[in-house]
Short mmCIF file of all heavy atoms in Angstrom, two decimals:
data_model
loop_
_atom_site.label_atom_id
_atom_site.label_comp_id
_atom_site.label_asym_id
_atom_site.label_seq_id
_atom_site.Cartn_x
_atom_site.Cartn_y
_atom_site.Cartn_z
N ARG O 212 133.54 117.38 97.65
CA ARG O 212 134.33 116.89 98.79
C ARG O 212 134.20 115.37 98.96
O ARG O 212 134.67 114.80 99.92
CB ARG O 212 133.86 117.56 100.08
CG ARG O 212 134.09 119.05 100.15
CD ARG O 212 133.87 119.56 101.57
NE ARG O 212 132.54 119.32 102.05
CZ ARG O 212 132.25 118.52 103.07
NH1 ARG O 212 133.20 117.87 103.71
NH2 ARG O 212 130.99 118.36 103.46
N HIS O 392 124.75 115.89 101.29
CA HIS O 392 124.37 117.25 101.65
C HIS O 392 123.62 117.84 100.47
O HIS O 392 123.99 118.87 99.94
CB HIS O 392 125.60 118.10 101.94
CG HIS O 392 126.43 117.57 103.08
ND1 HIS O 392 125.97 117.51 104.37
CD2 HIS O 392 127.68 117.09 103.13
CE1 HIS O 392 126.91 117.02 105.16
NE2 HIS O 392 127.96 116.75 104.43
N ASN O 459 125.00 122.92 104.64
CA ASN O 459 125.87 122.20 105.55
C ASN O 459 127.21 122.92 105.67
O ASN O 459 127.92 123.09 104.67
CB ASN O 459 126.13 120.79 105.05
CG ASN O 459 127.17 120.09 105.90
OD1 ASN O 459 126.95 119.89 107.09
ND2 ASN O 459 128.31 119.75 105.32
N GLU O 460 127.53 123.32 106.87
CA GLU O 460 128.85 123.89 107.18
C GLU O 460 129.32 124.86 106.10
O GLU O 460 130.47 124.82 105.65
CB GLU O 460 129.88 122.77 107.36
CG GLU O 460 129.54 121.85 108.50
CD GLU O 460 130.62 120.81 108.78
OE1 GLU O 460 131.60 120.73 108.03
OE2 GLU O 460 130.47 120.07 109.77
N ASN O 514 126.93 120.74 114.12
CA ASN O 514 127.71 119.60 113.67
C ASN O 514 128.87 119.43 114.64
O ASN O 514 129.73 120.31 114.76
CB ASN O 514 128.26 119.86 112.27
CG ASN O 514 127.18 119.75 111.20
OD1 ASN O 514 125.99 119.64 111.50
ND2 ASN O 514 127.58 119.79 109.94
N TYR O 515 128.86 118.31 115.38
CA TYR O 515 129.92 118.02 116.37
C TYR O 515 129.96 119.13 117.44
O TYR O 515 128.92 119.63 117.81
CB TYR O 515 131.28 117.82 115.67
CG TYR O 515 131.10 116.93 114.46
CD1 TYR O 515 131.04 117.46 113.16
CD2 TYR O 515 130.87 115.58 114.61
CE1 TYR O 515 130.80 116.65 112.07
CE2 TYR O 515 130.62 114.76 113.52
CZ TYR O 515 130.60 115.31 112.25
OH TYR O 515 130.34 114.52 111.18
N GLU O 536 124.69 116.84 112.91
CA GLU O 536 125.70 115.87 112.50
C GLU O 536 126.49 115.48 113.73
O GLU O 536 127.01 116.37 114.44
CB GLU O 536 126.60 116.51 111.44
CG GLU O 536 127.26 115.51 110.54
CD GLU O 536 127.97 116.21 109.37
OE1 GLU O 536 127.31 116.94 108.61
OE2 GLU O 536 129.18 116.00 109.25
N SER O 539 130.95 110.95 113.83
CA SER O 539 132.10 110.82 112.91
C SER O 539 133.19 110.00 113.58
O SER O 539 134.36 110.36 113.53
CB SER O 539 132.63 112.18 112.45
OG SER O 539 132.08 112.53 111.21
N TRP O 574 137.90 117.02 114.84
CA TRP O 574 136.68 117.79 115.07
C TRP O 574 135.54 116.93 115.62
O TRP O 574 134.50 117.44 115.99
CB TRP O 574 136.20 118.45 113.77
CG TRP O 574 135.90 117.44 112.69
CD1 TRP O 574 134.70 116.83 112.45
CD2 TRP O 574 136.82 116.90 111.74
NE1 TRP O 574 134.82 115.94 111.41
CE2 TRP O 574 136.12 115.97 110.95
CE3 TRP O 574 138.18 117.11 111.47
CZ2 TRP O 574 136.72 115.25 109.91
CZ3 TRP O 574 138.77 116.39 110.45
CH2 TRP O 574 138.05 115.47 109.67
N TRP O 597 126.94 110.75 111.68
CA TRP O 597 127.73 110.70 110.45
C TRP O 597 128.48 109.39 110.44
O TRP O 597 129.39 109.23 111.23
CB TRP O 597 128.70 111.89 110.38
CG TRP O 597 129.31 111.99 109.03
CD1 TRP O 597 130.52 111.50 108.62
CD2 TRP O 597 128.72 112.61 107.88
NE1 TRP O 597 130.71 111.77 107.29
CE2 TRP O 597 129.62 112.45 106.81
CE3 TRP O 597 127.50 113.27 107.66
CZ2 TRP O 597 129.35 112.93 105.53
CZ3 TRP O 597 127.23 113.74 106.40
CH2 TRP O 597 128.16 113.58 105.34
N GLU O 605 136.30 110.92 100.54
CA GLU O 605 136.54 111.43 101.91
C GLU O 605 137.09 110.38 102.88
O GLU O 605 136.48 110.10 103.91
CB GLU O 605 135.28 112.07 102.49
CG GLU O 605 135.68 113.10 103.52
CD GLU O 605 134.52 113.78 104.24
OE1 GLU O 605 133.42 113.21 104.28
OE2 GLU O 605 134.74 114.87 104.75
N PHE O 620 133.69 106.37 108.17
CA PHE O 620 132.74 106.90 109.15
C PHE O 620 131.51 106.02 109.35
O PHE O 620 130.77 106.16 110.31
CB PHE O 620 132.23 108.28 108.69
CG PHE O 620 133.30 109.33 108.63
CD1 PHE O 620 133.63 109.94 107.43
CD2 PHE O 620 133.95 109.75 109.78
CE1 PHE O 620 134.60 110.93 107.36
CE2 PHE O 620 134.92 110.74 109.72
CZ PHE O 620 135.25 111.34 108.52
C1 GAL M 1061 131.51 117.21 108.52
C2 GAL M 1061 130.90 117.43 107.15
C3 GAL M 1061 130.64 116.10 106.48
C4 GAL M 1061 131.85 115.23 106.59
C5 GAL M 1061 132.16 115.03 108.03
C6 GAL M 1061 133.29 114.09 108.31
O1 GAL M 1061 132.13 118.35 109.00
O2 GAL M 1061 129.69 118.10 107.26
O3 GAL M 1061 130.31 116.30 105.14
O4 GAL M 1061 132.89 115.85 105.93
O5 GAL M 1061 132.50 116.27 108.58
O6 GAL M 1061 133.54 114.02 109.69
#
Side-chain angles (χ1 to χ4, degrees):
R212 295 192 300 115
H392 300 295
N459 173 62
E460 298 186 355
N514 286 8
Y515 315 102
E536 205 171 302
S539 264
W574 60 91
W597 191 264
E605 207 183 22
F620 296 117

